[in-house]
Amino acid sequence: MREGPANLESLQLNVGGDMSGREGEIQSQRLLTPPLRPMAITWSPLPPLTWICPIIGHTGIAMSNGVICDFQGPYYVGTAGFMAFGAPTRYIPLPSSTTGSSSEAWDTSVSKANKCYEKRMHNICCDNCHSHVCYALNDMELYGFKRWNMVILAFWIFFCGRFKTFGDVVKTFLPFTLLMCIIFLLKS
């Protein structure tokens, strides 16, 4: 089997349909990238905010089939499986035994959050991707808790989230570290 672009083209042909434009690009990426983890909360850096404060980032929530949904902007929830600011670098896996619900109930809660946030204006400070994930978590009453909010979610991901690779650790903390070193050097 040949590698490179020819291999990608043959993969696209096997799927069928029109693979041109943005839809084709997303479908090609989905076919070449396995799902991160079903039933997980995902996180990716949000430059330049993450460079200044590493706890700040973009969140999403994966359905039971591994497709990530995230509130990407006004009246738009991404359900193509890829997050608005790049691939997730951190995640919190949630096995169905800890969620207290079946995969169907999980997907129903995520779908409810998606439908609700497709009708909402995005606000970076108050009604954002974290709020979208919290809506789903509150609906499913994850861990018997029904008061999920942006702050709790941000700290939970920051302290309990797993990095996918060492490169993801570097991608998250290197800009912050360099910025702090520059500030330190300028002050001394």
Side-chain angles (χ1 to χ4, degrees):
M1 192 169 184
R2 289 176 35 189
E3 294 184 4
N7 185 24
L8 177 61
E9 289 170 15
S10 66
L11 186 59
Q12 290 174 346
L13 292 174
N14 289 337
V15 173
D18 181 21
M19 296 296 286
S20 61
R22 179 80 176 131
E23 291 289 325
E25 180 183 328
I26 290 170
Q27 184 65 21
S28 299
Q29 289 175 358
R30 183 184 296 154
L31 292 171
L32 296 174
T33 307
L36 174 69
R37 174 83 189 233
M39 298 171 70
I41 296 168
T42 59
W43 184 91
S44 64
L46 184 60
L49 297 176
T50 306
W51 303 346
I52 298 165
C53 183
I55 198 169
I56 297 173
H58 181 70
T59 60
I61 188 164
M63 307 273 286
S64 64
N65 63 3
V67 173
I68 300 168
C69 303
D70 61 324
F71 186 37
Q72 296 182 357
Y75 313 108
Y76 184 72
V77 175
T79 56
F82 295 94
M83 297 176 70
F85 295 94
T89 57
R90 279 182 154 170
Y91 66 100
I92 297 178
L94 299 169
S96 57
S97 61
T98 61
T99 62
S101 63
S102 66
S103 59
E104 293 83 20
W106 176 275
D107 288 345
T108 299
S109 293
V110 174
S111 294
K112 281 183 188 177
N114 291 350
K115 284 184 178 150
C116 177
Y117 276 81
E118 286 172 349
K119 299 173 187 163
R120 290 195 178 182
M121 180 61 136
H122 189 280
N123 180 320
I124 193 75
C125 296
C126 300
D127 203 10
N128 55 33
C129 57
H130 287 71
S131 305
H132 169 253
V133 172
C134 289
Y135 185 102
L137 297 178
N138 285 329
D139 186 69
M140 66 183 75
E141 296 185 29
L142 183 66
Y143 298 118
F145 188 64
K146 198 171 176 161
R147 295 199 165 253
W148 291 98
N149 63 49
M150 296 181 338
V151 175
I152 292 170
L153 182 63
F155 277 96
W156 188 35
I157 293 169
F158 188 76
F159 290 109
C160 299
R162 299 178 187 171
F163 284 98
K164 289 178 9 188
T165 66
F166 180 73
D168 291 335
V169 175
V170 172
K171 182 179 178 182
T172 301
F173 291 107
L174 182 63
F176 173 75
T177 305
L178 291 174
L179 184 63
M180 291 298 110
C181 288
I182 291 169
I183 291 170
F184 178 75
L185 290 172
L186 291 175
K187 285 204 165 214
S188 56

